[in-house]
Amino acid sequence: MNGKKGSFEINIPSIPKAKMPGNGKKSSGDDTAFFSCKVWIWNVWEFCKEDSNRVVFSLKVGLAVLLVSLLILFQAPYKVFGTNIIWSILTVAIVFEYTVGATFNRGFNRALGSLLAGILAIGVAQLALSTGRVAEPFVIGISIFLIGTVTSFMKLWPSLVPYEYGFRVILFTYCLIIVSGYRMGNPIKTSMDRLYSIAIGGIVAVLVNVLILPIWAGEQLHKELVASFNAVADSLEECVRKYLQDDGSDHPEFSKTVMDEFPDEPAYRKCRTTLNSSAKLESLANSAKWEPPHGRFRHFFYPWSEYVKVGTVLRYCAYEVMALHGVLHSEIQAPYNLRITFQKEIQDATTQAAELVRSLGKDVSNMKRTLKTALLKRVHSSTEQLQRAIDMHSYLLTSNYEPSDSSKPLPKLSHTLSSTLYDLSNQLAELDKTDLDQTLNLTNQNPPPPQTESYHEMMRKQSRRLHSWPSREVDAFEEEGSFSADIMIPRMKALESTAALSLATFTSLLIEFVARLDHLVESVDELSRMAKFEHEGL
Amino acid sequence: MNGKKGSFEINIPSIPKAKMPGNGKKSSGDDTAFFSCKVWIWNVWEFCKEDSNRVVFSLKVGLAVLLVSLLILFQAPYKVFGTNIIWSILTVAIVFEYTVGATFNRGFNRALGSLLAGILAIGVAQLALSTGRVAEPFVIGISIFLIGTVTSFMKLWPSLVPYEYGFRVILFTYCLIIVSGYRMGNPIKTSMDRLYSIAIGGIVAVLVNVLILPIWAGEQLHKELVASFNAVADSLEECVRKYLQDDGSDHPEFSKTVMDEFPDEPAYRKCRTTLNSSAKLESLANSAKWEPPHGRFRHFFYPWSEYVKVGTVLRYCAYEVMALHGVLHSEIQAPYNLRITFQKEIQDATTQAAELVRSLGKDVSNMKRTLKTALLKRVHSSTEQLQRAIDMHSYLLTSNYEPSDSSKPLPKLSHTLSSTLYDLSNQLAELDKTDLDQTLNLTNQNPPPPQTESYHEMMRKQSRRLHSWPSREVDAFEEEGSFSADIMIPRMKALESTAALSLATFTSLLIEFVARLDHLVESVDELSRMAKFEHEGL
């Protein structure tokens, strides 16, 4: 066996120097050991402070096993229960889970599994006894083989996978009862004793778990969902901010970034965690269903599965954020001066959308039900403004200028056209003072090269570009035939002229994100309705 | 407790009529029961046929527990081992896992956990004995509490989470040994007996698992990765095919499709499964690391973790497919006649990209290492053709025509312009016969409305549109003040004129997908190098 996996290494995450106790100037052997010990204690302390439930859980497990052990350590209960009580200890160790719901679930699996196994074992044992002394071991052996095969097969069946542990319990409890019954006689007494002690263990585990500072899966699920809302909103804002801030000078290679942790983008990493949290939400919801009404979740049949549904819709929104992030770190990039043309509109739409997502998260968090109509409309109108702005200046995206040198301002601007645009802006100002004025003013600050040349001029340009292409891309083809021993992986070249379309992609994805928000609002509303959140402002 | 979860319902997936045994014409009660029983058997049969390893695994578990039980059922071994042998049964039931690697891993956890617990228990028991008869139970009780607390805390530590089971084993083995040692005396004998029987159980489980038709985690991981490659390629092709086939007439509501299973898109569902398979790949790789060299994987320290890395890069490609799928089902949609303008180029790039992905998958599957340079270059050149086509016809994306009625052909085509384009096509044909000819011919078949109107005409149009906007969207604002009791969720409206940009988004995402393929090729190459795949064609 490979020993590498067996070493219980603790990866100590790097801690900012300022936070560390001591300054570690001396570097003698003893000091280093002392220092690393201090760091270790510091880490454990931080880990506990991060979530005090961890300490609570650990102490509760200790208490539960202690309570069960007392039944053996004290003379009086030991006389009643005998050595079978060690099964209680096993049960506590196996049944005790982090949350109340998960403990109930496991306890149920163990209880039902033991019960079924006990009934089966008693039945088969009676049958084996009636077949006589010679046939008995054969009947028992065959029954063990059959139970082993059937339970193992059943736990592979997709809809029974959640009960995997129950099938394990059936298998070993059955074997234990029937085999010890065969050797010690009286299988009914054996199984009853075992069930007693398992029941005691289960009851102790459940009581300690529920009565002493319970950790509810429902509460965890609730918090997890609220945190996801905030993660998506933060990540959206961070992504857009970086897109608009980026001066286009430092585009790290995709290969370096695709697998990267993006240390400068904490919100993105949180959002990516949200994408992978579907299994966590589901298992929490699964556990929460087992919990009685508690704390803020006071009515029976609380719609925990709705939380998972909201989480799924939120994840579909997060997919768009991932795509936006993909554009941000894409190799094909619109030049900076083009990107900031729509800065205000993009920023507006983003801020509104993030605010809506956060407000939804806050509503869920406070268990309030508020009307989102006004907020939604504001998001829509700012998105529509963005669409209008793009629509008006869509010729920018067709990029008849050369955007390769992004540090220069947009070229080829004739003064006449600029002033024409300005005139138009004055004429149109009365139409929609708030929206269009800003749009056009912004355009004047970063005036685009309008596509108003004659048709022939345009075609001449295009034909010139066509001429220039083969020479620009010839290196992509020149190695076609040569197979060098060292494998050469050619890089894809983006035509510079299509780079501008990357901005179109970014805004389209942003608009699609907003479009999906409708469904997020709907699903949160459905949750509020089913969970009977308090109605506010009506 | 909620009984709902306890019902062991088997969800029978719907089966096509033709496949079902019998025709079920009679509908009397008996017949129905008989029929549903037949369906059930049929399902089980299909489930086994899908992966015969499932049956093999089940039979192996049965065999392993039978073998261990024989040690008790036969007189001779029973006399040697005594009743302690029931611990072997428990061990088999708990240690036996689906794959060889997972069994090794669990066995290791159990062995090391038991060993540590045994050593600890013997130490503490000696200490407790030396403190005298009165203090002994207190020392034992306190030690149980401490062990329970510490193991529970340690298994929450992120880097120790994979050894969760080991900590459970330490806890209950420690409790069992120290408590039964206290009651029965001689803790050393108790712990040795228990370790013996656990070792027997572990050895039987491992031998049966490895020697009889072993199911290797490495083999499963290998197959899983290859299947992911095919899923991504299929899904890409399916998505693009639907995008180009779609006649724009039936766009189901996003709300209906976002959470939908997309029954008509089997490849997409497989691809979505790929996205969620990261945990599966990781756990398989984790198990595979425990396996000795076997079958096709003949050298030590086979780079299983590289499989996970390739899987991650592949997942980043799959994100783009998800985004493409999002555009396909987006509410903001480019009209059909615009979409098919670039049909050939999109189709070409897609086919080449899918072929490359499939060929990578095939290489991994056959454990060959081939040069992908030629294929990559072909993908790049077809993507560049797509970029060129978009670049040349980018004015289409600025949409100065009204794309609202997508059933009509593209309007406002003057004959002169069409023939001018055709002339140009002839002039340019000699430049790049293969590429451009096709591009331009295609354009002639679906002639676009060129943006060659005078500047004033263009501005007049835009201003007209600006006039028309408020009236078009007035319904989005008219309800601003009114709060009805029934919550109204307004729908976002997409400006028709920005719909054309959705095509730009689609193609940009496709191009970004191709850009990511470079890194996929790189990571597969890294895997081939580290896993020493056979070199071919060099």
Side-chain angles (χ1 to χ4, degrees):
Chain A
M1 261 179 242
N2 184 347
K4 232 167 59 188
K5 281 279 296 186
S7 60
F8 286 70
E9 251 179 342
I10 297 178
N11 294 325
I12 298 170
S14 61
I15 284 180
K17 276 263 163 172
K19 268 189 165 182
M20 280 192 208
N23 54 15
K25 263 182 191 168
K26 287 185 202 171
S27 59
S28 71
D30 273 4
D31 256 29
T32 314
F34 176 70
F35 181 70
S36 73
C37 181
K38 256 194 173 173
V39 169
W40 187 81
I41 290 172
W42 183 257
N43 273 311
V44 171
W45 175 248
E46 285 287 304
F47 184 69
C48 298
K49 228 173 50 180
E50 207 179 295
D51 187 357
S52 61
N53 275 342
R54 288 165 179 159
V55 183
V56 170
F57 166 70
S58 308
L59 290 174
K60 275 160 70 182
V61 175
L63 182 66
V65 284
L66 177 63
L67 283 178
V68 176
S69 305
L70 290 182
L71 293 178
I72 297 195
L73 292 177
F74 283 126
Q75 197 65 35
Y78 178 67
K79 273 188 185 151
V80 180
F81 297 112
T83 50
N84 258 322
I85 207 75
I86 53 172
W87 290 100
S88 311
I89 299 180
L90 205 76
T91 304
V92 168
I94 284 175
V95 161
F96 211 104
E97 292 276 341
Y98 194 70
T99 61
V100 174
T103 305
F104 275 152
N105 190 358
R106 271 224 142 177
F108 170 79
N109 267 301
R110 180 142 184 105
L112 193 71
S114 300
L115 200 69
L116 283 178
I119 293 168
L120 259 175
I122 290 170
V124 173
Q126 300 294 356
L127 180 76
L129 267 178
S130 69
T131 56
R133 202 65 206 162
V134 180
E136 195 181 354
F138 290 99
V139 172
I140 291 176
I142 291 169
S143 75
I144 286 176
F145 177 77
L146 283 179
I147 293 283
T149 308
V150 170
T151 53
S152 306
F153 184 76
M154 281 176 82
K155 73 185 180 193
L156 294 178
W157 191 271
S159 57
L160 297 181
V161 166
Y163 307 102
E164 196 261 349
Y165 177 67
F167 288 107
R168 256 185 223 276
V169 170
I170 291 180
L171 173 58
F172 70 70
T173 309
Y174 178 81
C175 292
L176 291 180
I177 290 177
I178 204 155
V179 163
S180 49
Y182 173 69
R183 275 297 159 197
M184 301 163 205
N186 204 351
I188 295 180
K189 193 184 173 308
T190 314
S191 50
M192 289 315 287
D193 281 356
R194 204 138 292 167
L195 285 181
Y196 271 133
S197 48
I198 288 173
I200 290 172
I203 288 168
V204 169
V206 166
L207 284 184
V208 170
N209 209 331
V210 174
L211 296 183
I212 303 171
L213 300 172
I215 302 166
W216 300 100
E219 188 73 38
Q220 304 269 323
L221 176 62
H222 193 84
K223 279 184 192 156
E224 194 75 28
L225 186 67
V226 172
S228 296
F229 272 99
N230 291 332
V232 169
D234 289 350
S235 180
L236 175 71
E237 285 193 330
E238 180 187 75
C239 190
V240 171
R241 194 176 56 241
K242 280 204 86 175
Y243 190 74
L244 297 174
Q245 265 177 3
D246 202 342
D247 61 353
S249 56
D250 56 337
H251 275 300
E253 271 277 292
F254 177 74
S255 53
K256 279 182 199 145
T257 57
V258 67
M259 308 290 297
D260 201 37
E261 285 301 300
F262 295 101
D264 57 333
E265 295 174 25
Y268 164 71
R269 280 149 66 207
K270 251 192 248 163
C271 180
R272 204 176 44 182
T273 315
T274 304
L275 280 180
N276 294 328
S277 70
S278 62
K280 194 178 176 190
L281 284 190
E282 253 167 60
S283 91
L284 277 178
N286 234 351
S287 297
K289 278 180 202 153
W290 288 87
E291 292 173 352
H294 59 271
R296 298 187 282 171
F297 315 103
R298 270 193 217 105
H299 56 89
F300 283 92
F301 305 113
Y302 195 82
W304 295 115
S305 53
E306 280 300 311
Y307 277 79
V308 178
K309 276 189 203 157
V310 173
T312 310
V313 177
L314 187 62
R315 208 155 58 244
Y316 272 81
C317 294
Y319 278 136
E320 294 298 318
V321 178
M322 288 296 282
L324 281 171
H325 188 263
V327 175
L328 171 64
H329 290 282
S330 161
E331 285 175 33
I332 309 160
Q333 210 48 269
Y336 176 63
N337 49 1
L338 185 57
R339 267 180 281 162
I340 54 164
T341 313
F342 304 110
Q343 183 164 29
K344 199 197 149 290
E345 286 80 9
I346 292 178
Q347 199 72 68
D348 265 10
T350 307
T351 312
Q352 302 286 352
E355 194 192 329
L356 175 60
V357 173
R358 276 208 198 86
S359 130
L360 285 172
K362 211 177 137 203
D363 271 12
V364 173
S365 171
N366 297 334
M367 303 184 77
K368 298 265 188 235
R369 191 180 180 190
T370 57
L371 275 182
K372 288 281 161 287
T373 329
L375 258 178
L376 248 191
K377 274 180 186 159
R378 240 189 292 156
V379 177
H380 288 175
S381 78
S382 64
T383 313
E384 273 159 15
Q385 243 165 283
L386 172 62
Q387 291 189 64
R388 270 178 225 175
I390 291 172
D391 183 48
M392 281 198 67
H393 308 295
S394 53
Y395 48 85
L396 281 176
L397 305 178
T398 62
S399 62
N400 263 8
Y401 61 94
E402 294 287 319
S404 58
D405 188 355
S406 61
S407 62
K408 278 191 225 164
L410 290 177
K412 295 182 199 165
L413 172 76
S414 72
H415 179 68
T416 7
L417 286 173
S418 172
S419 58
T420 315
L421 261 172
Y422 195 71
D423 286 352
L424 188 77
S425 136
N426 286 336
Q427 285 166 25
L428 292 179
E430 52 196 4
L431 284 177
D432 192 339
K433 272 210 194 304
T434 48
D435 300 347
L436 292 169
D437 218 339
Q438 290 162 346
T439 313
L440 287 163
N441 276 337
L442 197 84
T443 321
N444 285 339
Q445 283 153 28
N446 303 284
Q451 199 182 25
T452 51
E453 343 157 63
S454 74
Y455 180 66
H456 285 292
E457 207 172 302
M458 193 179 93
M459 276 302 155
R460 192 180 51 74
K461 266 195 189 168
Q462 287 209 343
S463 122
R464 178 158 47 81
R465 218 170 326 139
L466 286 172
H467 275 290
S468 77
W469 272 337
S471 65
R472 262 202 239 163
E473 285 142 32
V474 71
D475 51 345
F477 297 92
E478 67 190 0
E479 294 174 303
E480 187 72 72
S482 68
F483 285 85
S484 62
D486 198 11
I487 290 179
M488 303 270 291
I489 295 170
R491 289 256 160 261
M492 200 185 80
K493 280 177 195 61
L495 285 187
E496 282 164 349
S497 43
T498 47
L501 281 180
S502 134
L503 177 64
T505 308
F506 193 84
T507 48
S508 292
L509 289 171
L510 185 60
I511 291 164
E512 181 64 25
F513 177 84
V514 173
R516 291 188 179 190
L517 285 186
D518 293 352
H519 307 286
L520 188 63
V521 171
E522 223 165 54
S523 68
V524 169
D525 195 56
E526 180 74 9
L527 168 65
S528 329
R529 209 175 46 70
M530 289 181 68
K532 294 177 188 135
F533 284 177
E534 208 176 297
H535 229 308
E536 205 171 58
L538 280 186
Chain B
M1 262 178 241
N2 184 346
K4 233 166 61 186
K5 283 277 295 184
S7 60
F8 285 70
E9 250 180 342
I10 297 177
N11 294 325
I12 298 171
S14 61
I15 285 180
K17 276 265 163 166
K19 267 189 168 183
M20 280 191 205
N23 53 15
K25 264 183 190 168
K26 286 186 203 170
S27 60
S28 69
D30 273 5
D31 257 28
T32 312
F34 176 72
F35 181 70
S36 74
C37 180
K38 258 192 172 174
V39 169
W40 187 80
I41 291 172
W42 183 257
N43 273 311
V44 171
W45 175 247
E46 285 286 305
F47 183 68
C48 298
K49 231 173 47 179
E50 204 179 295
D51 188 355
S52 61
N53 275 342
R54 288 165 178 160
V55 182
V56 171
F57 166 71
S58 308
L59 290 174
K60 276 160 70 182
V61 175
L63 182 65
V65 283
L66 178 62
L67 284 178
V68 176
S69 306
L70 289 183
L71 293 178
I72 296 195
L73 292 177
F74 283 125
Q75 198 65 35
Y78 178 66
K79 273 185 185 153
V80 180
F81 297 111
T83 49
N84 257 322
I85 206 75
I86 52 170
W87 289 99
S88 312
I89 299 180
L90 205 75
T91 305
V92 168
I94 284 175
V95 160
F96 210 104
E97 291 275 344
Y98 194 70
T99 63
V100 175
T103 305
F104 275 152
N105 189 357
R106 271 224 141 176
F108 170 80
N109 268 301
R110 179 143 186 106
L112 194 72
S114 300
L115 200 68
L116 283 177
I119 293 168
L120 259 176
I122 290 170
V124 172
Q126 298 295 352
L127 179 78
L129 266 179
S130 68
T131 56
R133 202 66 205 160
V134 180
E136 195 182 354
F138 289 99
V139 173
I140 291 177
I142 291 168
S143 76
I144 286 178
F145 177 75
L146 283 180
I147 293 283
T149 307
V150 170
T151 53
S152 305
F153 184 75
M154 283 176 83
K155 73 184 179 191
L156 293 178
W157 192 270
S159 58
L160 296 181
V161 166
Y163 306 103
E164 195 260 350
Y165 177 67
F167 288 107
R168 256 184 224 275
V169 169
I170 292 180
L171 173 59
F172 71 71
T173 310
Y174 177 81
C175 292
L176 291 179
I177 290 177
I178 204 155
V179 163
S180 49
Y182 173 69
R183 276 296 158 198
M184 300 165 206
N186 203 351
I188 297 180
K189 195 184 170 306
T190 313
S191 52
M192 290 313 288
D193 280 357
R194 203 138 294 168
L195 284 181
Y196 270 134
S197 49
I198 287 173
I200 291 174
I203 289 168
V204 169
V206 166
L207 285 183
V208 170
N209 209 332
V210 174
L211 296 183
I212 302 171
L213 300 172
I215 302 166
W216 301 100
E219 188 73 38
Q220 303 268 324
L221 176 61
H222 193 84
K223 277 185 194 157
E224 194 75 27
L225 186 66
V226 172
S228 297
F229 272 100
N230 291 332
V232 170
D234 289 350
S235 179
L236 176 70
E237 287 193 330
E238 181 187 75
C239 192
V240 170
R241 194 175 56 241
K242 281 203 87 173
Y243 190 72
L244 297 174
Q245 265 178 4
D246 202 343
D247 61 354
S249 58
D250 56 337
H251 275 300
E253 272 276 293
F254 178 75
S255 54
K256 279 181 198 148
T257 57
V258 67
M259 308 291 297
D260 202 36
E261 284 302 300
F262 295 102
D264 55 334
E265 295 174 27
Y268 163 72
R269 278 150 67 206
K270 254 192 245 164
C271 180
R272 205 175 43 180
T273 314
T274 305
L275 281 180
N276 293 328
S277 70
S278 63
K280 194 179 177 188
L281 283 190
E282 254 168 60
S283 90
L284 278 177
N286 235 351
S287 297
K289 277 180 202 154
W290 288 86
E291 292 174 354
H294 59 271
R296 298 185 283 172
F297 316 103
R298 274 197 213 100
H299 55 90
F300 283 92
F301 304 112
Y302 194 84
W304 293 117
S305 52
E306 280 301 311
Y307 277 81
V308 178
K309 276 187 204 157
V310 173
T312 310
V313 178
L314 187 62
R315 208 156 56 245
Y316 273 82
C317 294
Y319 279 137
E320 294 298 318
V321 178
M322 287 297 281
L324 282 171
H325 188 263
V327 175
L328 171 64
H329 289 283
S330 158
E331 285 176 34
I332 308 160
Q333 210 48 266
Y336 176 63
N337 48 1
L338 184 57
R339 268 180 280 164
I340 56 166
T341 312
F342 305 109
Q343 181 165 31
K344 202 196 149 293
E345 287 80 8
I346 291 178
Q347 197 73 65
D348 265 9
T350 307
T351 312
Q352 302 285 353
E355 194 191 331
L356 176 61
V357 173
R358 277 209 197 85
S359 132
L360 285 171
K362 211 176 138 200
D363 271 12
V364 173
S365 170
N366 297 335
M367 303 184 76
K368 299 267 186 233
R369 190 181 179 190
T370 58
L371 277 181
K372 287 284 160 285
T373 330
L375 257 179
L376 247 190
K377 275 179 184 159
R378 239 187 295 155
V379 177
H380 289 175
S381 78
S382 63
T383 312
E384 274 158 15
Q385 244 167 282
L386 172 61
Q387 291 188 65
R388 271 179 225 173
I390 290 172
D391 184 48
M392 280 197 64
H393 308 295
S394 52
Y395 49 85
L396 280 178
L397 304 179
T398 62
S399 61
N400 262 8
Y401 61 95
E402 295 285 322
S404 58
D405 188 356
S406 62
S407 62
K408 277 191 223 164
L410 291 176
K412 295 183 198 163
L413 171 76
S414 73
H415 179 68
T416 4
L417 288 172
S418 171
S419 57
T420 316
L421 262 172
Y422 195 71
D423 286 351
L424 188 79
S425 136
N426 286 336
Q427 286 166 28
L428 293 177
E430 53 198 2
L431 285 176
D432 192 340
K433 274 209 193 299
T434 49
D435 301 346
L436 292 169
D437 217 337
Q438 291 162 346
T439 314
L440 287 163
N441 275 335
L442 196 82
T443 321
N444 285 339
Q445 283 156 26
N446 303 285
Q451 199 180 26
T452 51
E453 341 157 65
S454 74
Y455 179 68
H456 285 291
E457 206 173 303
M458 194 180 92
M459 276 302 156
R460 192 179 50 76
K461 267 196 188 169
Q462 287 209 342
S463 121
R464 179 157 46 80
R465 216 168 329 136
L466 287 171
H467 276 290
S468 77
W469 272 337
S471 65
R472 262 203 239 162
E473 285 141 34
V474 71
D475 51 344
F477 297 90
E478 66 189 2
E479 293 172 306
E480 189 70 73
S482 68
F483 285 86
S484 60
D486 198 12
I487 291 179
M488 301 274 290
I489 296 171
R491 288 258 161 257
M492 201 185 77
K493 278 177 196 59
L495 286 187
E496 281 165 351
S497 41
T498 48
L501 281 179
S502 135
L503 178 63
T505 308
F506 193 84
T507 49
S508 292
L509 289 170
L510 185 60
I511 291 165
E512 181 64 26
F513 177 85
V514 172
R516 293 188 176 189
L517 285 186
D518 293 351
H519 308 286
L520 188 63
V521 170
E522 225 165 53
S523 68
V524 169
D525 195 56
E526 180 73 9
L527 168 65
S528 331
R529 209 177 46 71
M530 291 182 68
K532 294 178 186 133
F533 283 177
E534 210 175 294
H535 229 309
E536 205 171 59
L538 281 185

